Amino acid sequence: MDSRFAELNSRLDKVVSLDVYTIQTTYVEQRLAQLQAEIQRCVDNNAKLEDDFEAYQRDEARRREAERQARLYQLIVPVALCIISSVIAIWAVVAK
């Protein structure tokens, strides 16, 4: 009988009290809520970063297109003036 009580007492010593369990459960729940909030902040930051990167890519594509068009016009206008002046010069010589 004494050995049974000793065994029961050793098992009860290993059992966590309700107060300790409640405190531990509350802490775990709070920590999980904090971690979920941190994860949500990271997801939001990641989405914002992706949106910013996409906007940068669009702006960069527009800039490149505008630069390409500017270079094209810088080439066409002088060549067109040269051709027009050459045609006028040839026409003036032929007309005499």
Side-chain angles (χ1 to χ4, degrees):
M1 195 71 155
D2 288 335
S3 67
R4 291 272 187 190
F5 280 123
E7 183 181 330
L8 182 60
N9 283 336
S10 70
R11 284 186 184 176
L12 288 177
D13 288 340
K14 294 178 184 176
V15 174
V16 176
S17 71
L18 183 60
D19 294 336
V20 172
Y21 175 76
T22 304
I23 291 170
Q24 183 179 6
T25 304
T26 304
Y27 172 77
V28 168
E29 289 173 357
Q30 288 173 351
R31 185 67 181 135
L32 284 174
Q34 289 173 350
L35 291 173
Q36 288 173 342
E38 288 178 29
I39 288 171
Q40 187 60 43
R41 275 194 303 274
C42 289
V43 167
D44 293 342
N45 289 341
N46 190 25
K48 183 184 178 308
L49 185 63
E50 287 176 355
D51 292 342
D52 291 345
F53 183 66
E54 288 174 6
Y56 168 77
Q57 286 180 325
R58 284 191 304 271
D59 292 343
E60 188 65 19
R62 279 189 216 115
R63 185 193 64 77
R64 278 192 233 124
E65 179 64 23
E67 187 176 305
R68 184 189 67 77
Q69 288 179 356
R71 275 193 248 137
L72 181 65
Y73 293 138
Q74 288 172 354
L75 175 69
I76 289 175
V77 170
V79 169
L81 287 176
C82 181
I83 291 173
I84 291 172
S85 64
S86 299
V87 168
I88 291 173
I90 293 173
W91 181 54
V93 170
V94 171
K96 285 187 179 182

Coordinates of all heavy atoms in Angstrom, one line a residue:
M1 N 0.8 -1.2 0.0 CA 0.0 0.0 0.0 C 0.9 1.3 0.0 O 0.6 2.2 -0.7 CB -0.9 -0.1 1.3 CG -2.0 0.9 1.3 SD -3.2 0.4 0.1 CE -4.6 1.1 0.9
D2 N 1.9 1.2 0.8 CA 2.8 2.4 0.9 C 3.5 2.6 -0.5 O 3.7 3.8 -0.9 CB 3.9 2.2 2.0 CG 3.3 2.3 3.4 OD1 2.2 3.0 3.4 OD2 3.8 1.7 4.3
S3 N 3.8 1.5 -1.1 CA 4.5 1.7 -2.4 C 3.5 2.3 -3.5 O 3.9 3.1 -4.3 CB 5.1 0.3 -2.9 OG 4.0 -0.6 -3.2
R4 N 2.3 1.9 -3.4 CA 1.2 2.5 -4.3 C 1.1 4.0 -4.0 O 1.0 4.7 -5.0 CB -0.1 1.8 -4.1 CG -0.1 0.4 -4.5 CD -0.5 0.3 -6.0 NE -0.6 -1.1 -6.3 CZ -0.8 -1.5 -7.6 NH1 -0.7 -0.6 -8.5 NH2 -0.9 -2.7 -7.8
F5 N 1.0 4.4 -2.8 CA 0.9 5.8 -2.5 C 2.2 6.6 -2.9 O 2.1 7.7 -3.4 CB 0.7 6.0 -1.0 CG -0.8 5.8 -0.6 CD1 -1.1 4.9 0.4 CD2 -1.8 6.5 -1.2 CE1 -2.4 4.7 0.8 CE2 -3.1 6.3 -0.8 CZ -3.5 5.4 0.1
A6 N 3.3 6.0 -2.8 CA 4.5 6.6 -3.2 C 4.5 6.8 -4.7 O 4.9 7.8 -5.3 CB 5.7 5.8 -2.7
E7 N 4.1 5.7 -5.4 CA 4.0 5.8 -6.9 C 3.0 6.9 -7.3 O 3.2 7.7 -8.2 CB 3.5 4.4 -7.4 CG 3.5 4.4 -8.9 CD 3.0 3.0 -9.4 OE1 3.3 2.0 -8.7 OE2 2.4 3.0 -10.5
L8 N 1.8 7.0 -6.6 CA 0.8 8.0 -6.9 C 1.4 9.4 -6.6 O 1.1 10.3 -7.4 CB -0.4 7.7 -6.1 CG -1.6 8.7 -6.3 CD1 -2.1 8.6 -7.7 CD2 -2.7 8.3 -5.3
N9 N 2.1 9.5 -5.6 CA 2.7 10.8 -5.2 C 3.7 11.2 -6.3 O 3.8 12.4 -6.7 CB 3.3 10.8 -3.8 CG 2.2 10.9 -2.8 OD1 1.2 11.4 -3.0 ND2 2.6 10.4 -1.6
S10 N 4.5 10.3 -6.8 CA 5.5 10.6 -7.8 C 4.8 11.0 -9.1 O 5.3 11.9 -9.8 CB 6.5 9.5 -8.0 OG 5.8 8.4 -8.6
R11 N 3.7 10.4 -9.4 CA 3.0 10.8 -10.6 C 2.3 12.1 -10.5 O 2.3 12.9 -11.4 CB 1.9 9.7 -10.9 CG 2.4 8.5 -11.5 CD 1.3 7.6 -11.9 NE 1.8 6.3 -12.4 CZ 1.0 5.3 -12.7 NH1 -0.3 5.4 -12.6 NH2 1.5 4.2 -13.1
L12 N 1.8 12.4 -9.3 CA 1.2 13.7 -9.1 C 2.2 14.8 -9.1 O 1.9 16.0 -9.4 CB 0.4 13.7 -7.7 CG -0.9 12.9 -7.8 CD1 -1.5 12.9 -6.4 CD2 -1.9 13.4 -8.8
D13 N 3.4 14.5 -8.7 CA 4.5 15.6 -8.7 C 4.8 16.0 -10.1 O 5.2 17.1 -10.4 CB 5.7 15.0 -8.0 CG 5.6 15.0 -6.5 OD1 4.7 15.7 -6.0 OD2 6.3 14.2 -5.9
K14 N 4.6 15.0 -11.1 CA 4.8 15.3 -12.5 C 3.7 16.1 -13.2 O 3.9 16.6 -14.2 CB 5.1 14.0 -13.2 CG 6.4 13.3 -12.8 CD 6.6 12.1 -13.5 CE 7.8 11.3 -13.0 NZ 8.0 10.0 -13.6
V15 N 2.5 16.1 -12.6 CA 1.4 16.7 -13.2 C 1.5 18.3 -13.0 O 1.9 18.7 -11.9 CB 0.1 16.2 -12.5 CG1 -1.1 17.0 -13.0 CG2 -0.1 14.7 -12.8
V16 N 1.1 19.0 -14.0 CA 1.2 20.5 -14.0 C -0.1 21.0 -13.4 O -1.2 20.5 -13.7 CB 1.3 21.0 -15.4 CG1 1.3 22.5 -15.4 CG2 2.6 20.5 -16.1
S17 N 0.0 22.0 -12.5 CA -1.2 22.5 -11.9 C -2.0 23.3 -12.9 O -1.5 23.7 -14.0 CB -0.8 23.4 -10.7 OG -0.2 24.6 -11.2
L18 N -3.3 23.5 -12.6 CA -4.2 24.2 -13.6 C -3.8 25.6 -13.8 O -3.9 26.1 -14.9 CB -5.6 24.1 -13.0 CG -6.7 24.7 -13.9 CD1 -6.8 24.0 -15.2 CD2 -8.1 24.6 -13.2
D19 N -3.3 26.3 -12.7 CA -2.8 27.6 -12.9 C -1.6 27.7 -13.8 O -1.6 28.6 -14.7 CB -2.4 28.2 -11.5 CG -3.6 28.3 -10.6 OD1 -4.7 28.4 -11.1 OD2 -3.4 28.4 -9.3
V20 N -0.7 26.8 -13.7 CA 0.5 26.8 -14.5 C 0.1 26.5 -16.0 O 0.5 27.2 -16.9 CB 1.5 25.8 -14.0 CG1 2.7 25.7 -15.0 CG2 2.1 26.2 -12.7
Y21 N -0.8 25.6 -16.1 CA -1.3 25.2 -17.5 C -2.0 26.4 -18.1 O -1.8 26.7 -19.3 CB -2.3 24.0 -17.4 CG -2.9 23.7 -18.7 CD1 -2.2 23.0 -19.7 CD2 -4.2 24.0 -19.0 CE1 -2.7 22.7 -20.9 CE2 -4.8 23.7 -20.2 CZ -4.1 23.1 -21.2 OH -4.6 22.8 -22.4
T22 N -2.9 27.1 -17.4 CA -3.6 28.3 -17.9 C -2.6 29.4 -18.3 O -2.8 30.0 -19.4 CB -4.6 28.8 -16.8 OG1 -5.4 27.7 -16.4 CG2 -5.4 30.0 -17.4
I23 N -1.6 29.6 -17.5 CA -0.6 30.7 -17.8 C 0.1 30.3 -19.1 O 0.3 31.1 -19.9 CB 0.3 30.9 -16.6 CG1 -0.5 31.5 -15.4 CG2 1.5 31.7 -17.0 CD1 0.3 31.6 -14.1
Q24 N 0.5 29.0 -19.1 CA 1.3 28.6 -20.3 C 0.5 28.6 -21.5 O 0.9 29.1 -22.6 CB 1.8 27.2 -20.0 CG 2.7 26.7 -21.2 CD 3.2 25.2 -20.9 OE1 2.8 24.6 -19.9 NE2 4.1 24.8 -21.8
T25 N -0.8 28.2 -21.5 CA -1.7 28.2 -22.6 C -1.9 29.7 -23.1 O -1.9 30.0 -24.3 CB -3.0 27.6 -22.3 OG1 -2.8 26.3 -21.8 CG2 -3.9 27.5 -23.5
T26 N -2.1 30.6 -22.1 CA -2.3 32.0 -22.5 C -1.1 32.5 -23.2 O -1.2 33.3 -24.2 CB -2.6 32.8 -21.2 OG1 -3.7 32.2 -20.6 CG2 -2.9 34.3 -21.6
Y27 N 0.1 32.2 -22.7 CA 1.4 32.7 -23.3 C 1.5 32.2 -24.7 O 1.9 32.9 -25.6 CB 2.6 32.3 -22.4 CG 3.9 32.6 -23.1 CD1 4.4 33.9 -23.1 CD2 4.6 31.6 -23.7 CE1 5.6 34.2 -23.8 CE2 5.8 31.9 -24.4 CZ 6.3 33.2 -24.4 OH 7.4 33.4 -25.0
V28 N 1.2 30.9 -24.9 CA 1.3 30.3 -26.2 C 0.4 30.9 -27.2 O 0.7 31.2 -28.3 CB 1.1 28.7 -26.1 CG1 0.9 28.1 -27.5 CG2 2.2 28.1 -25.4
E29 N -0.9 31.2 -26.7 CA -1.8 31.9 -27.6 C -1.4 33.3 -28.0 O -1.5 33.7 -29.1 CB -3.2 31.9 -26.9 CG -3.9 30.5 -26.8 CD -5.1 30.5 -26.0 OE1 -5.5 31.6 -25.4 OE2 -5.8 29.5 -25.9
Q30 N -0.9 34.0 -27.0 CA -0.4 35.4 -27.3 C 0.8 35.3 -28.2 O 0.9 36.1 -29.2 CB 0.1 36.0 -26.0 CG -1.1 36.4 -25.1 CD -0.6 37.0 -23.7 OE1 0.6 36.9 -23.4 NE2 -1.5 37.5 -22.9
R31 N 1.7 34.4 -28.0 CA 2.9 34.3 -28.9 C 2.4 33.9 -30.3 O 2.9 34.5 -31.3 CB 3.8 33.2 -28.4 CG 5.1 33.1 -29.2 CD 5.9 34.4 -29.0 NE 7.1 34.3 -29.8 CZ 7.6 35.2 -30.6 NH1 7.0 36.4 -30.7 NH2 8.7 34.9 -31.3
L32 N 1.4 33.0 -30.5 CA 0.9 32.7 -31.8 C 0.3 33.9 -32.5 O 0.4 34.1 -33.7 CB -0.1 31.5 -31.7 CG 0.5 30.1 -31.5 CD1 -0.6 29.1 -31.2 CD2 1.3 29.7 -32.6
A33 N -0.5 34.7 -31.7 CA -1.1 35.9 -32.2 C 0.0 36.9 -32.7 O -0.1 37.5 -33.8 CB -2.0 36.5 -31.2
Q34 N 1.1 37.0 -31.9 CA 2.2 37.9 -32.3 C 2.8 37.4 -33.6 O 3.1 38.2 -34.5 CB 3.2 38.0 -31.2 CG 2.8 38.7 -30.0 CD 3.8 38.6 -28.9 OE1 4.8 37.8 -29.0 NE2 3.7 39.4 -27.9
L35 N 3.1 36.1 -33.7 CA 3.7 35.5 -34.9 C 2.8 35.7 -36.1 O 3.3 36.0 -37.2 CB 4.0 34.1 -34.7 CG 5.2 33.8 -33.7 CD1 5.3 32.3 -33.4 CD2 6.5 34.4 -34.2
Q36 N 1.5 35.5 -35.9 CA 0.5 35.7 -37.0 C 0.6 37.1 -37.5 O 0.5 37.4 -38.7 CB -0.9 35.2 -36.6 CG -1.0 33.7 -36.5 CD -2.4 33.4 -36.0 OE1 -3.1 34.2 -35.4 NE2 -2.7 32.1 -36.2
A37 N 0.6 38.1 -36.6 CA 0.7 39.5 -36.9 C 2.0 39.8 -37.7 O 2.0 40.5 -38.7 CB 0.6 40.4 -35.7
E38 N 3.1 39.2 -37.2 CA 4.4 39.4 -37.9 C 4.3 38.8 -39.3 O 4.8 39.4 -40.3 CB 5.5 38.8 -37.1 CG 5.9 39.6 -35.9 CD 7.0 38.9 -35.1 OE1 7.8 38.2 -35.7 OE2 7.0 39.0 -33.8
I39 N 3.7 37.7 -39.5 CA 3.6 37.0 -40.8 C 2.8 37.9 -41.7 O 3.1 38.1 -42.9 CB 3.1 35.6 -40.6 CG1 4.1 34.7 -40.0 CG2 2.6 35.1 -42.0 CD1 3.5 33.3 -39.7
Q40 N 1.7 38.4 -41.2 CA 0.8 39.3 -42.0 C 1.5 40.5 -42.4 O 1.4 41.0 -43.6 CB -0.5 39.6 -41.2 CG -1.5 40.4 -42.1 CD -1.9 39.5 -43.3 OE1 -2.2 38.4 -43.1 NE2 -2.0 40.2 -44.4
R41 N 2.3 41.1 -41.5 CA 3.1 42.3 -41.9 C 4.1 42.0 -43.0 O 4.3 42.7 -43.9 CB 3.9 42.9 -40.7 CG 3.1 43.8 -39.8 CD 3.9 44.6 -38.8 NE 4.7 43.8 -37.9 CZ 4.3 43.3 -36.8 NH1 3.1 43.5 -36.4 NH2 5.1 42.5 -36.0
C42 N 4.8 40.8 -42.9 CA 5.7 40.4 -43.9 C 5.0 40.2 -45.2 O 5.6 40.6 -46.3 CB 6.4 39.1 -43.5 SG 7.6 39.3 -42.1
V43 N 3.9 39.6 -45.2 CA 3.1 39.3 -46.4 C 2.7 40.7 -47.1 O 2.8 40.9 -48.3 CB 1.8 38.5 -46.2 CG1 0.9 38.5 -47.3 CG2 2.3 37.1 -45.8
D44 N 2.3 41.6 -46.2 CA 1.9 42.9 -46.7 C 3.1 43.7 -47.3 O 3.0 44.3 -48.4 CB 1.3 43.8 -45.6 CG -0.1 43.2 -45.2 OD1 -0.7 42.4 -45.9 OD2 -0.5 43.6 -44.0
N45 N 4.2 43.6 -46.6 CA 5.4 44.2 -47.1 C 5.9 43.6 -48.4 O 6.3 44.3 -49.3 CB 6.6 44.2 -46.1 CG 6.3 45.1 -44.9 OD1 5.6 46.0 -44.9 ND2 7.0 44.8 -43.8
N46 N 5.8 42.3 -48.5 CA 6.2 41.6 -49.7 C 5.3 42.0 -50.9 O 5.8 42.3 -52.0 CB 6.1 40.1 -49.5 CG 6.7 39.3 -50.6 OD1 7.6 39.8 -51.3 ND2 6.3 38.1 -50.8
A47 N 4.0 42.1 -50.6 CA 3.0 42.5 -51.7 C 3.3 44.0 -52.1 O 3.3 44.3 -53.3 CB 1.6 42.4 -51.2
K48 N 3.6 44.8 -51.2 CA 4.0 46.2 -51.5 C 5.2 46.3 -52.3 O 5.3 47.0 -53.3 CB 4.1 47.1 -50.3 CG 4.4 48.5 -50.5 CD 4.6 49.3 -49.3 CE 4.9 50.7 -49.5 NZ 6.0 51.0 -50.4
L49 N 6.2 45.5 -51.9 CA 7.5 45.5 -52.7 C 7.3 45.0 -54.1 O 7.8 45.5 -55.1 CB 8.5 44.6 -51.9 CG 9.9 44.5 -52.5 CD1 10.5 45.9 -52.4 CD2 10.7 43.5 -51.7
E50 N 6.4 43.9 -54.3 CA 6.1 43.4 -55.6 C 5.4 44.5 -56.4 O 5.7 44.7 -57.6 CB 5.3 42.1 -55.5 CG 6.1 40.9 -55.0 CD 5.3 39.7 -54.9 OE1 4.0 39.8 -55.0 OE2 5.8 38.6 -54.6
D51 N 4.5 45.2 -55.8 CA 3.7 46.2 -56.5 C 4.7 47.4 -57.0 O 4.6 47.9 -58.1 CB 2.6 46.8 -55.7 CG 1.5 45.8 -55.5 OD1 1.4 44.8 -56.2 OD2 0.7 46.0 -54.5
D52 N 5.6 47.7 -56.0 CA 6.5 48.8 -56.3 C 7.5 48.4 -57.5 O 7.8 49.2 -58.4 CB 7.4 49.2 -55.1 CG 6.5 49.9 -54.0 OD1 5.4 50.3 -54.4 OD2 7.0 50.0 -52.9
F53 N 7.9 47.1 -57.5 CA 8.8 46.6 -58.5 C 8.1 46.6 -59.9 O 8.6 47.0 -60.9 CB 9.3 45.2 -58.2 CG 10.3 44.7 -59.2 CD1 11.5 45.3 -59.3 CD2 10.0 43.6 -59.9 CE1 12.4 44.8 -60.2 CE2 10.8 43.1 -60.9 CZ 12.1 43.7 -61.0
E54 N 6.8 46.2 -59.9 CA 6.0 46.2 -61.1 C 5.9 47.6 -61.7 O 6.0 47.8 -62.9 CB 4.7 45.5 -60.9 CG 4.7 44.0 -60.7 CD 3.4 43.4 -60.4 OE1 2.4 44.1 -60.4 OE2 3.4 42.2 -60.1
A55 N 5.6 48.5 -60.8 CA 5.5 49.9 -61.2 C 6.8 50.5 -61.7 O 6.8 51.2 -62.7 CB 5.0 50.8 -60.0
Y56 N 7.9 50.1 -61.1 CA 9.2 50.5 -61.6 C 9.4 49.9 -63.0 O 10.0 50.6 -63.9 CB 10.3 50.0 -60.6 CG 11.7 50.1 -61.2 CD1 12.3 51.3 -61.3 CD2 12.3 48.9 -61.7 CE1 13.6 51.4 -61.8 CE2 13.6 49.0 -62.2 CZ 14.2 50.2 -62.3 OH 15.5 50.3 -62.9
Q57 N 9.1 48.6 -63.2 CA 9.3 48.0 -64.5 C 8.4 48.7 -65.6 O 8.9 49.0 -66.7 CB 8.9 46.5 -64.5 CG 9.9 45.7 -63.8 CD 9.5 44.2 -63.7 OE1 8.4 43.9 -63.6 NE2 10.5 43.3 -63.8
R58 N 7.2 49.1 -65.2 CA 6.3 49.8 -66.2 C 6.9 51.2 -66.5 O 7.0 51.6 -67.7 CB 4.9 50.0 -65.6 CG 4.1 48.7 -65.7 CD 2.6 49.0 -65.4 NE 2.4 49.6 -64.1 CZ 2.2 49.0 -63.0 NH1 2.2 47.7 -63.0 NH2 2.1 49.7 -61.9
D59 N 7.4 51.9 -65.5 CA 8.0 53.2 -65.7 C 9.2 53.1 -66.5 O 9.5 53.9 -67.4 CB 8.3 53.9 -64.4 CG 7.0 54.3 -63.6 OD1 6.0 54.3 -64.2 OD2 7.2 54.5 -62.4
E60 N 10.0 52.1 -66.3 CA 11.3 51.9 -67.0 C 11.0 51.6 -68.5 O 11.6 52.1 -69.4 CB 12.1 50.8 -66.4 CG 13.5 50.6 -66.9 CD 14.4 51.8 -66.7 OE1 14.1 52.7 -65.8 OE2 15.4 51.9 -67.4
A61 N 10.0 50.8 -68.7 CA 9.6 50.4 -70.1 C 9.1 51.7 -70.8 O 9.4 51.9 -72.0 CB 8.5 49.4 -70.1
R62 N 8.3 52.5 -70.1 CA 7.9 53.8 -70.8 C 9.0 54.7 -71.1 O 9.1 55.3 -72.1 CB 6.9 54.5 -69.8 CG 5.5 54.0 -69.9 CD 4.5 54.9 -69.1 NE 3.5 54.0 -68.5 CZ 3.4 53.8 -67.2 NH1 4.1 54.5 -66.3 NH2 2.5 53.0 -66.7
R63 N 10.0 54.8 -70.1 CA 11.1 55.6 -70.3 C 12.0 55.2 -71.5 O 12.4 55.9 -72.4 CB 12.0 55.7 -69.1 CG 13.2 56.6 -69.2 CD 14.2 56.4 -68.1 NE 14.8 55.1 -68.1 CZ 15.8 54.8 -69.0 NH1 16.3 55.6 -69.9 NH2 16.4 53.6 -68.9
R64 N 12.2 53.8 -71.6 CA 12.9 53.3 -72.7 C 12.2 53.6 -74.1 O 12.9 53.9 -75.1 CB 13.1 51.8 -72.5 CG 14.3 51.5 -71.6 CD 14.7 50.0 -71.7 NE 14.7 49.5 -70.3 CZ 14.0 48.5 -69.9 NH1 13.3 47.8 -70.7 NH2 14.1 48.2 -68.6
E65 N 10.9 53.4 -74.1 CA 10.1 53.7 -75.3 C 10.2 55.1 -75.7 O 10.4 55.4 -76.9 CB 8.7 53.3 -75.1 CG 7.8 53.5 -76.3 CD 8.2 52.7 -77.5 OE1 8.8 51.6 -77.3 OE2 7.8 53.1 -78.6
A66 N 10.1 56.0 -74.8 CA 10.3 57.5 -75.1 C 11.7 57.8 -75.6 O 11.8 58.6 -76.5 CB 9.9 58.3 -73.8
E67 N 12.7 57.2 -75.0 CA 14.0 57.4 -75.4 C 14.3 56.8 -76.8 O 14.9 57.5 -77.7 CB 15.0 56.7 -74.4 CG 16.5 57.0 -74.7 CD 17.3 56.4 -73.6 OE1 17.1 56.7 -72.4 OE2 18.2 55.6 -74.0
R68 N 13.7 55.7 -77.1 CA 13.8 55.1 -78.4 C 13.1 56.0 -79.5 O 13.7 56.3 -80.6 CB 13.1 53.7 -78.5 CG 13.3 53.0 -79.8 CD 12.4 51.7 -79.8 NE 11.0 52.0 -79.8 CZ 10.3 52.4 -80.9 NH1 10.9 52.6 -82.1 NH2 9.0 52.6 -80.8
Q69 N 12.0 56.5 -79.2 CA 11.3 57.4 -80.1 C 12.1 58.7 -80.3 O 12.2 59.2 -81.4 CB 9.9 57.7 -79.6 CG 8.9 56.6 -79.7 CD 7.5 56.9 -79.2 OE1 7.3 58.0 -78.7 NE2 6.6 56.0 -79.4
A70 N 12.6 59.2 -79.2 CA 13.4 60.5 -79.4 C 14.6 60.2 -80.3 O 15.0 61.1 -81.1 CB 13.9 60.9 -78.0
R71 N 15.3 59.1 -80.1 CA 16.5 58.8 -80.9 C 16.0 58.6 -82.4 O 16.7 59.1 -83.3 CB 17.2 57.5 -80.5 CG 18.2 57.8 -79.4 CD 19.0 56.6 -79.1 NE 18.7 56.1 -77.8 CZ 18.5 54.8 -77.5 NH1 18.7 53.9 -78.4 NH2 18.2 54.5 -76.3
L72 N 14.9 58.0 -82.6 CA 14.4 57.8 -84.0 C 14.1 59.2 -84.6 O 14.5 59.4 -85.8 CB 13.1 57.0 -83.9 CG 12.4 56.7 -85.3 CD1 13.4 55.8 -86.1 CD2 11.1 56.0 -85.1
Y73 N 13.4 60.1 -83.9 CA 13.2 61.4 -84.4 C 14.5 62.2 -84.7 O 14.6 63.0 -85.6 CB 12.2 62.2 -83.5 CG 10.8 61.6 -83.5 CD1 10.1 61.5 -82.3 CD2 10.2 61.1 -84.6 CE1 8.9 61.0 -82.2 CE2 8.9 60.6 -84.6 CZ 8.3 60.5 -83.4 OH 7.0 60.0 -83.3
Q74 N 15.4 62.0 -83.8 CA 16.7 62.7 -84.0 C 17.4 62.2 -85.2 O 18.2 62.9 -85.8 CB 17.6 62.5 -82.7 CG 17.2 63.2 -81.5 CD 18.0 62.8 -80.3 OE1 18.8 61.9 -80.3 NE2 17.7 63.5 -79.2
L75 N 17.1 61.0 -85.6 CA 17.7 60.5 -86.9 C 16.9 60.9 -88.1 O 17.5 61.3 -89.1 CB 17.8 58.9 -86.8 CG 18.3 58.2 -88.0 CD1 19.8 58.5 -88.2 CD2 18.1 56.7 -87.9
I76 N 15.6 60.8 -88.0 CA 14.8 61.0 -89.2 C 14.8 62.5 -89.6 O 14.9 62.8 -90.8 CB 13.3 60.6 -88.9 CG1 13.3 59.1 -88.9 CG2 12.4 61.1 -89.9 CD1 12.0 58.5 -88.5
V77 N 14.7 63.4 -88.7 CA 14.6 64.8 -89.0 C 15.8 65.3 -89.8 O 15.7 65.9 -90.9 CB 14.3 65.7 -87.8 CG1 14.4 67.2 -88.1 CG2 12.9 65.4 -87.2
P78 N 17.0 65.1 -89.4 CA 18.2 65.6 -90.2 C 18.3 64.9 -91.5 O 18.6 65.5 -92.5 CB 19.4 65.2 -89.3 CG 18.9 65.1 -87.9 CD 17.5 64.6 -88.1
V79 N 18.0 63.6 -91.6 CA 18.0 62.9 -92.8 C 17.0 63.4 -93.8 O 17.2 63.7 -95.0 CB 17.8 61.3 -92.6 CG1 17.6 60.6 -94.0 CG2 19.0 60.8 -91.9
A80 N 15.8 63.7 -93.3 CA 14.7 64.3 -94.1 C 15.1 65.7 -94.6 O 14.9 66.0 -95.8 CB 13.4 64.3 -93.4
L81 N 15.7 66.5 -93.8 CA 16.1 67.8 -94.2 C 17.2 67.7 -95.3 O 17.2 68.5 -96.2 CB 16.6 68.6 -93.0 CG 15.6 69.1 -92.0 CD1 16.2 69.8 -90.8 CD2 14.6 70.1 -92.8
C82 N 18.1 66.8 -95.1 CA 19.2 66.6 -96.1 C 18.6 66.1 -97.4 O 19.0 66.7 -98.5 CB 20.2 65.5 -95.5 SG 21.5 65.2 -96.6
I83 N 17.7 65.2 -97.4 CA 17.0 64.8 -98.6 C 16.3 65.9 -99.3 O 16.4 66.1 -100.5 CB 16.1 63.5 -98.4 CG1 17.0 62.3 -98.0 CG2 15.3 63.2 -99.6 CD1 16.2 61.1 -97.5
I84 N 15.5 66.7 -98.5 CA 14.7 67.8 -99.1 C 15.6 68.8 -99.7 O 15.4 69.3 -100.8 CB 13.8 68.4 -98.0 CG1 12.7 67.4 -97.6 CG2 13.2 69.7 -98.5 CD1 11.8 67.8 -96.5
S85 N 16.7 69.2 -98.9 CA 17.6 70.2 -99.5 C 18.3 69.7 -100.7 O 18.6 70.4 -101.7 CB 18.6 70.6 -98.4 OG 19.4 69.6 -98.0
S86 N 18.6 68.4 -100.8 CA 19.3 67.8 -102.0 C 18.3 67.8 -103.1 O 18.7 68.2 -104.3 CB 19.7 66.3 -101.7 OG 20.6 66.3 -100.7
V87 N 17.0 67.5 -102.9 CA 16.0 67.5 -104.0 C 15.9 68.9 -104.5 O 15.8 69.2 -105.7 CB 14.7 66.9 -103.5 CG1 13.6 67.2 -104.4 CG2 14.8 65.4 -103.2
I88 N 15.8 69.9 -103.6 CA 15.7 71.3 -104.0 C 16.9 71.8 -104.8 O 16.7 72.4 -105.9 CB 15.4 72.2 -102.8 CG1 14.0 71.9 -102.2 CG2 15.6 73.7 -103.2 CD1 13.8 72.7 -100.9
A89 N 18.1 71.3 -104.4 CA 19.3 71.7 -105.1 C 19.3 71.1 -106.5 O 19.7 71.7 -107.5 CB 20.5 71.3 -104.3
I90 N 18.9 69.8 -106.6 CA 18.9 69.1 -107.9 C 17.8 69.8 -108.7 O 18.0 70.0 -109.9 CB 18.7 67.6 -107.7 CG1 19.9 67.0 -107.0 CG2 18.3 67.0 -109.0 CD1 19.7 65.5 -106.6
W91 N 16.7 70.1 -108.2 CA 15.6 70.7 -109.0 C 16.0 72.1 -109.5 O 15.7 72.5 -110.6 CB 14.4 70.8 -108.1 CG 13.2 71.4 -108.8 CD1 12.6 71.0 -109.9 CD2 12.4 72.5 -108.3 NE1 11.5 71.8 -110.2 CE2 11.4 72.8 -109.2 CE3 12.5 73.4 -107.2 CZ2 10.5 73.8 -109.1 CZ3 11.6 74.4 -107.0 CH2 10.6 74.6 -108.0
A92 N 16.8 72.8 -108.6 CA 17.2 74.2 -109.1 C 18.2 74.0 -110.2 O 18.2 74.9 -111.2 CB 17.9 74.9 -107.9
V93 N 19.1 73.0 -110.2 CA 20.1 72.8 -111.3 C 19.3 72.4 -112.5 O 19.7 72.8 -113.6 CB 21.2 71.8 -110.8 CG1 22.0 71.4 -112.0 CG2 22.0 72.4 -109.7
V94 N 18.4 71.5 -112.4 CA 17.7 70.9 -113.6 C 16.8 72.0 -114.2 O 16.6 72.1 -115.4 CB 16.9 69.7 -113.1 CG1 16.0 69.2 -114.3 CG2 17.8 68.6 -112.7
A95 N 16.2 72.9 -113.3 CA 15.3 73.9 -113.8 C 16.0 75.0 -114.6 O 15.4 75.6 -115.4 CB 14.6 74.5 -112.7
K96 N 17.3 75.2 -114.5 CA 18.0 76.2 -115.3 C 18.3 75.8 -116.6 O 18.4 75.2 -117.5 CB 19.3 76.5 -114.6 CG 19.2 77.3 -113.4 CD 20.5 77.7 -112.9 CE 20.4 78.6 -111.7 NZ 21.7 79.0 -111.2

